[in-house]
């Protein structure tokens, strides 16, 4: 488990998320929305399928474009 993932298990979850970059925070939020956080916690980001990571990446790009227009 990486340092960033360990932060999420801490008692101060909100403070832990604040320590992440905006893009990393968005990645975790999207994974949560897609129902993938249990899988990420158990097997890590590398355990996601190409389809799952592509979906997360696509939504990150979509939201970034919406925020910059």
């Amino acid at each position: 488990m990486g340092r960033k993932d360990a932060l999420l298990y801490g008692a101060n979850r909100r403070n832990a998320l604040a320590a992440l970059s905006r893009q990393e925070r968005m990645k975790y939020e999207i994974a949560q929305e897609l129902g993938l956080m249990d899988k990420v916690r158990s097997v890590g980001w590398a355990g996601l399928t190409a389809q799952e990571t592509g979906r997360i990446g696509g939504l990150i790009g979509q939201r970034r474009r919406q925020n910059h227009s």
Side-chain angles (χ1 to χ4, degrees):
M1 174 183 340
R3 179 179 169 268
K4 294 172 189 165
D5 294 325
L7 286 172
L8 292 176
Y9 286 107
N12 296 323
R13 181 172 155 77
R14 289 184 187 189
N15 290 339
L17 285 174
L20 301 175
S21 73
R22 182 181 305 160
Q23 187 163 349
E24 290 172 326
R25 198 168 36 249
M26 188 183 308
K27 179 172 75 170
Y28 278 96
E29 290 170 1
I30 291 171
Q32 179 68 38
E33 291 170 13
L34 295 176
L36 296 172
M37 279 309 296
D38 287 337
K39 187 172 183 181
V40 169
R41 285 185 186 115
S42 64
V43 296
W45 291 104
L48 297 179
T49 66
Q51 183 179 11
E52 291 166 337
T53 56
R55 183 69 179 141
I56 291 170
L59 289 171
I60 288 172
Q62 186 178 41
R63 290 183 187 181
R64 289 179 74 195
R65 284 188 298 277
Q66 287 175 350
N67 291 337
H68 292 290
S69 30

